[in-house]
Amino acid sequence: MITSSLNNKRIKKEYFLVIITSLLFIIYNSLLWILLSNIHMELSDAIILLIIASILPSYLFMIYSIKKHFGITRFYFIFLILTVLFYYGQHLLVIIDKSYLLSQNYTILDGRIDNQSIINASFLIIQSLLLVHIGYFSNVRYRWYDFNSKEVESNRNEIDKKVYKSFKIIAWILFIISAIAMLIKLSYLIQLNQLYGYLERRTLETSEEFTAGLGNFALYLSEWFLPSIYMLFIFNTGKYKKKLMYLIVGVFSILYLMSGSRFLLLKVGMGIFLIQYIWIKPLTKKNMRTIIILGLVGVLILKIISLSRAVSDVSFSSISNIFYELWNGGLFSSILWETGITFTSVSNVIDKAPSVIPLFNGRSYLGSILLFLPSFMRFDFFETYNLVVSATFSPLYYNTNLIGYGSSFITEAYYNFGYLMFPFMILMGALFGKLENLLIKAKVTRNAPLFFLITYVLSELIYIVRNDIYAIPRFVIFYAIVPLVLYKCLNLFFKKKKMAKNETK
């Protein structure tokens, strides 16, 4: 029975073996960490040794264990793959294309950060991910083959009963309102991008002039665009309706890229992937080939956008220069270099905290709570403290406020707690596991509102690979919980109306 399968709370024996193996890897990596910290050798040689002896074996174990037990149609699997690029992209270049790495201005070999901080950050990340792995396997429960496929399919036929009319109405209302607001916002960003360039436009976004020019109303409503897209995708599962939804997402993506930004598309891709291949239908080999091809095209487009940011006047000559740089500069190497910049957020915070900047002592997570309160109850917290980790540490690396290297959940955790952050990593893994349990439970029981909520949360969490966590609870409350509250209210109204109609008969 589905109900009994969903109520199974025991840790399976094979999961327990994964947890024990993760602990053994942590012990082994700790010994190697001590060894490398006490041996004098060139940084590039230390990185090569670190990759071969620690990072590669640890990743092979983690990726193999998640694929073996749960497959690749998992948030956590994609999360792990992304960490390879964002945390160790430049490490890989030390082995496969060191000359390209040395030709760039900002790299792990540029000497701006102490060598020991580079080594410490490299180990800190892989140890943190192994702890996340332990937390995940301690809490995840459900696999597709745990459920009777015929029984699941019979539940699927009741989708119209589960996806209430009120859910559809709220989805369409939010979409229409937010789509207009999003068009206004994107057109404003594109205009600013053309006038000032990407870097200065990003600086303007934090100013009062930006808010005054666009308006708080449009800014707030535009944030409902992605939630409404997810809601529409959930019940528009027919062939032509689904194509329409992909067309809408495609138009949005083009406009968003024209504004010079890129990484919001990571959230969009995560959300649609979960809906398409968990809620609607399983992933097939044919789908996988399509995803790989689209992914490669997407990466190429993102790299072109990155290069075009430095171009103030778009012309045939500038476009030619962009493609020439792509062709001769090594596309794969440039992608590893750029994504690998996120590693600098970890190495730089280890290098500068607490020696230059004191630890934050949990204020980032306190700020997550205070964001919900009225301004008079925040006690000038946000006027005193800046919760954006990159804004605090990037200027110490670049010597300018115009550019930053992003952040990550590991960077944020270390800035708050130092090496006492490790228990927090286990909690993060536990959160991933519990959310995936709820996602599969919602899929099996065809609970569309719950599936939407978890999809939205996971689409936000995928971004913590290169960003802070503190703002996510606020986004979930405002842009996922609020639509569900509206859905519940409208659903209650329809029920009362139906009851009143039956009483009059």
Side-chain angles (χ1 to χ4, degrees):
M1 294 292 290
I2 285 179
T3 304
S4 61
S5 297
L6 290 172
N7 291 331
N8 180 17
K9 296 183 179 181
R10 294 179 301 168
I11 298 178
K12 294 181 172 62
K13 182 180 178 180
E14 56 266 38
Y15 300 175
F16 185 72
L17 291 175
V18 172
I19 293 169
I20 295 299
T21 308
S22 299
L23 286 171
L24 292 175
F25 264 103
I26 289 172
I27 295 170
Y28 164 73
N29 288 336
S30 298
L31 294 174
L32 190 61
W33 191 345
I34 295 170
L35 179 65
L36 272 180
S37 298
N38 289 280
I39 295 178
H40 178 73
M41 59 192 309
E42 291 291 329
L43 179 59
S44 57
D45 294 334
I47 288 173
I48 292 172
L49 177 60
L50 194 151
I51 291 173
I52 295 172
S54 174
I55 294 173
L56 184 59
S58 298
Y59 263 112
L60 287 175
F61 158 70
M62 288 188 289
I63 292 172
Y64 171 78
S65 57
I66 182 66
K67 184 179 183 299
K68 175 186 176 183
H69 294 294
F70 301 105
I72 64 174
T73 316
R74 287 273 174 164
F75 161 84
Y76 181 56
F77 180 86
I78 297 172
F79 181 86
L80 270 182
I81 297 299
L82 289 175
T83 62
V84 177
L85 298 173
F86 284 101
Y87 298 147
Y88 295 112
Q90 293 191 8
H91 291 66
L92 295 174
L93 281 179
V94 173
I95 294 178
I96 63 177
D97 198 351
K98 186 178 177 180
S99 60
Y100 178 88
L101 194 64
L102 292 173
S103 70
Q104 301 303 308
N105 291 327
Y106 300 102
T107 74
I108 56 175
L109 300 179
D110 62 14
R112 288 180 170 86
I113 295 176
D114 184 73
N115 289 358
Q116 187 58 49
S117 296
I118 298 288
I119 293 171
N120 289 344
S122 302
F123 277 110
L124 179 73
I125 290 170
I126 200 65
Q127 299 289 68
S128 296
L129 293 175
L130 284 165
L131 289 168
V132 170
H133 208 62
I134 289 173
Y136 179 81
F137 272 88
S138 298
N139 288 271
V140 72
R141 294 292 180 270
Y142 310 138
R143 302 175 295 191
W144 292 121
Y145 46 85
D146 288 333
F147 305 103
N148 184 295
S149 59
K150 291 182 179 179
E151 196 173 354
V152 171
E153 192 60 32
S154 66
N155 276 358
R156 179 183 176 85
N157 295 330
E158 297 186 13
I159 185 172
D160 289 333
K161 297 178 182 178
K162 292 289 184 181
V163 184
Y164 301 104
K165 179 173 70 173
S166 48
F167 184 80
K168 298 179 181 181
I169 292 174
I170 294 299
W172 279 114
I173 291 174
L174 290 179
F175 170 74
I176 293 169
I177 295 173
S178 64
I180 296 171
M182 181 60 79
L183 283 173
I184 294 171
K185 178 181 176 180
L186 289 176
S187 61
Y188 186 57
L189 290 176
I190 292 169
Q191 183 181 3
L192 290 177
N193 217 47
Q194 292 173 341
L195 289 173
Y196 303 106
Y198 176 77
L199 292 178
E200 197 165 340
R201 191 269 286 175
R202 288 286 295 170
T203 305
L204 285 171
E205 282 187 56
T206 60
S207 66
E208 293 182 2
E209 288 82 5
F210 176 82
T211 305
L214 183 58
N216 281 317
F217 193 64
L219 275 172
Y220 178 72
L221 291 180
S222 66
E223 295 295 336
W224 270 339
F225 181 76
L226 293 186
S228 68
I229 286 292
Y230 300 153
M231 294 174 78
L232 292 175
F233 254 102
I234 283 173
F235 64 81
N236 282 316
T237 57
K239 180 179 179 181
Y240 295 105
K241 290 181 178 179
K242 195 166 59 176
K243 286 184 177 180
L244 174 62
M245 295 310 304
Y246 276 112
L247 177 63
I248 292 171
V249 171
V251 172
F252 162 75
S253 300
I254 291 170
L255 292 174
Y256 180 73
L257 289 171
M258 287 175 64
S259 72
S261 300
R262 299 171 296 166
F263 287 108
L264 182 62
L265 300 184
L266 191 63
K267 298 181 184 181
V268 179
M270 185 76 259
I272 293 175
F273 178 85
L274 294 174
I275 295 170
Q276 177 64 44
Y277 298 114
I278 294 182
W279 179 262
I280 298 177
K281 64 178 182 179
L283 184 66
T284 63
K285 290 183 179 180
K286 183 180 178 181
N287 297 142
M288 179 56 65
R289 288 194 295 268
T290 303
I291 290 173
I292 292 173
I293 293 170
L294 290 176
L296 292 173
V297 172
V299 167
L300 177 61
I301 292 172
L302 293 178
K303 188 59 187 175
I304 291 172
I305 295 296
S306 176
L307 293 173
S308 64
R309 286 172 172 178
V311 178
S312 56
D313 183 26
V314 179
S315 63
F316 178 78
S317 176
S318 62
I319 294 173
S320 299
N321 288 334
I322 289 172
F323 280 99
Y324 177 81
E325 187 173 342
L326 278 175
W327 182 261
N328 291 278
L331 177 60
F332 183 68
S333 295
S334 65
I335 290 169
L336 288 177
W337 166 74
E338 187 172 3
T339 55
I341 290 173
T342 303
F343 170 81
T344 308
S345 72
V346 183
S347 59
N348 195 37
V349 77
I350 287 178
D351 199 56
K352 302 299 189 299
S355 59
V356 178
I357 295 177
L359 296 177
F360 217 31
N361 298 318
R363 292 187 181 93
S364 292
Y365 309 111
L366 174 62
S368 295
I369 300 172
L370 294 178
L371 277 172
F372 296 111
L373 301 178
S375 56
F376 70 89
M377 295 180 66
R378 296 175 181 174
F379 309 107
D380 294 328
F381 180 85
F382 298 103
E383 285 72 20
T384 307
Y385 303 107
N386 189 343
L387 270 59
V388 182
V389 179
S390 181
T392 302
F393 288 90
S394 286
L396 301 179
Y397 180 74
Y398 290 111
N399 295 318
T400 177
N401 292 314
L402 291 177
I403 54 176
Y405 46 50
S407 182
S408 77
F409 74 108
I410 296 174
T411 308
E412 186 180 33
Y414 180 87
Y415 178 36
N416 279 276
F417 306 119
Y419 287 108
L420 296 177
M421 62 177 273
F422 289 127
F424 182 76
M425 296 296 106
I426 298 177
L427 293 177
M428 283 303 303
L431 175 65
F432 294 163
K434 288 184 178 296
L435 287 172
E436 287 197 355
N437 289 341
L438 288 173
L439 191 74
I440 294 179
K441 184 177 181 179
K443 148 75 178 181
V444 172
T445 59
R446 306 308 291 176
N447 187 334
L450 177 62
F451 193 90
F452 156 71
L453 174 62
I454 305 304
T455 296
Y456 182 82
V457 174
L458 291 176
S459 70
E460 290 294 316
L461 284 174
I462 198 67
Y463 202 48
I464 67 173
V465 173
R466 67 168 310 276
N467 205 11
D468 304 321
I469 294 176
Y470 76 89
I472 292 179
R474 182 174 180 269
F475 289 154
V476 172
I477 294 293
F478 285 173
Y479 306 117
I481 300 296
V482 169
L484 290 180
V485 170
L486 294 174
Y487 146 74
K488 286 288 186 181
C489 292
L490 189 60
N491 194 48
L492 184 62
F493 170 77
F494 283 138
K495 283 185 177 180
K496 287 184 176 180
K497 186 177 180 181
K498 186 177 180 179
M499 288 174 61
K501 187 177 180 180
N502 291 335
E503 288 175 0
T504 58
K505 288 183 180 180

